[in-house]
Amino acid sequence: MIPHHSCRLLSVVIFLSAATLSMAQRPVRPDAFPPVDEPLPATKSLQMASSPADMADWQHYPTYECYVEMMQQYAQQFPLLCRLDTIGTSVEGRLLLCLAISGTSTPVVDKREVFYSSTIHGDELVGFHLMLHLIDTLLHAYGTSDHITSILNNTTVYINPLSNPDGTYHGSNNTVQFSRRYNAHGIDLNRNYPDPFATTAKSIEPENAAMIEYVTRHHFRLAANLHSGSEVMNYPWDSFTSWQQAHPHADWWEEVCRRFVDTCRITRPTLFTDVIPSGYIAGGDWYVISGGRQDYMNYYHDILELTMELSSTKKLPSEQLPLYWAGERQALLNFINEVHLLPADDVSLDASADVIWRVYPNPTRGTVTIETPEGQWQADLTHRAAGIYLLPIGNRWVRVVKL
């Protein structure tokens, strides 16, 4: 079984650097992209699956009951690899579910924790589907894929595919056709988190209150909040432009985002081009918001969380879902391993230090030989998909790029 953790690490660096900005210095411009519900064209196909078997081709969205059954089925089928948590319930009583997934070769207490959470905006459905596909891939490939086995043997991955079920299943549990951005109270949950830089307290919605309590009981080091409607990696802060207050780890965030975007573009060069050519941006430089989740997580919980906008279309036609999985699968897997080189770990780039060697870019198609103070090591990438990998080599981690 995978136990809960209660320890937390507070970040003095983040707290002090953010608190130095006065209210008078905060940007006054509102959301540059006002939240709107995307109209559903009559021609768009949103095929629904009423059972896990119907999801086998990954060209359907699950009904609410199918989604819950899938999560329960994974926990029952892979009891040694995962545990199903109920984070809480929504306004209308739907479940907020999370699967904690970890390999069996290393004690879970020794592993770093990564948290994926999706669809805080109920009509942004691409991340919801991608996270279900990611769960399925991690569980079924453990023990057969060297890459995925290594990920789970070194990391515990928590995946909450749907954090606003009332928005996604607005009007009916049997279709996502009427999904909307807001929860059942008509509140934008990504403007409803406690804002560390605001003077007015918010009334926190049940979904967010449950999420806050769940996060407090764990020790997540790295997290991503998945959206759709644009294609861009959005890193903190959301509350300021970068010239007003840069995140203390902005350089690290840009490296992480660049690796994610570059990996996606190996298979689909046009991904992440609709907002900015690089494919990544500081949140406030795109548009400033108050009460966003990523600023709350970074400031109050010392969780390095960013926002992934993974599709220009909020509700993809169901037949296009496999295309986005193919384009983003490898990057989603590789992001998990970023937890093994957090900014606080990067104490030295000296080759003799027991830290990760940065070898990006270092393109290879087959076997690469890596020399460390402990000796020579070979990593065979022949059967791996193109992407940017973080591989355990001896007592350190090494980044290797396969094009």
Side-chain angles (χ1 to χ4, degrees), residues 323-341:
L323 178 67
Y324 275 79
W325 171 249
E328 298 174 2
R329 170 191 183 275
Q330 197 59 58
L332 290 167
L333 287 169
N334 291 350
F335 177 79
I336 297 168
N337 272 341
E338 297 288 356
V339 76
H340 297 292
L341 180 56

Side-chain angles (χ1 to χ4, degrees), residues 36-38 119 121-125 179-181 314-315:
V36 295
D37 286 323
E38 182 181 89
T119 315
H121 292 145
D123 59 343
E124 299 177 12
L125 302 179
S179 60
R180 66 174 191 172
R181 181 183 185 92
K314 290 185 178 183
K315 307 176 191 179

Side-chain angles (χ1 to χ4, degrees), residues 229-262:
S230 298
E231 292 177 15
V232 69
M233 300 288 280
N234 169 339
Y235 62 89
W237 304 102
D238 276 335
S239 300
F240 318 102
T241 59
S242 61
W243 62 267
Q244 291 174 305
Q245 180 67 48
H247 192 279
H249 301 314
D251 290 344
W252 177 82
W253 273 126
E254 291 194 358
E255 289 185 23
V256 170
C257 293
R258 177 165 58 93
R259 285 189 284 272
F260 191 99
V261 171
D262 285 356

Side-chain angles (χ1 to χ4, degrees), residues 115-121 124 126-128 130-131 163 223-228 293 306-310 332:
F115 186 39
Y116 269 127
S117 179
S118 185
T119 315
I120 193 172
H121 292 145
E124 299 177 12
V126 177
F128 175 31
L130 289 175
M131 288 299 97
S163 57
N225 187 12
L226 277 56
H227 293 245
S228 54
R293 191 180 113 159
L306 85 165
T307 299
M308 297 179 175
E309 297 270 359
L310 297 178
L332 290 167

Side-chain angles (χ1 to χ4, degrees), residues 350-373:
D350 186 273
S352 63
D354 292 333
V355 297
I356 298 172
W357 285 2
R358 297 168 184 245
V359 293
Y360 175 87
N362 180 30
T364 180
R365 294 182 179 274
T367 300
V368 59
T369 300
I370 301 164
E371 294 190 8
T372 77

Side-chain angles (χ1 to χ4, degrees), residues 23 26 195-201:
M23 290 298 295
R26 296 191 65 201
D195 191 329
F197 312 112
T199 56
T200 304

Side-chain angles (χ1 to χ4, degrees), residues 81 92 99-100 114 121 143 159 171 177 183 275 292 313 333 343 355 359 397:
L81 295 180
E92 294 181 338
L99 272 173
V114 175
H121 292 145
I159 303 179
Q177 181 176 1
N183 76 345
V275 173
T313 303
L333 287 169
V355 297
V359 293
W397 294 77

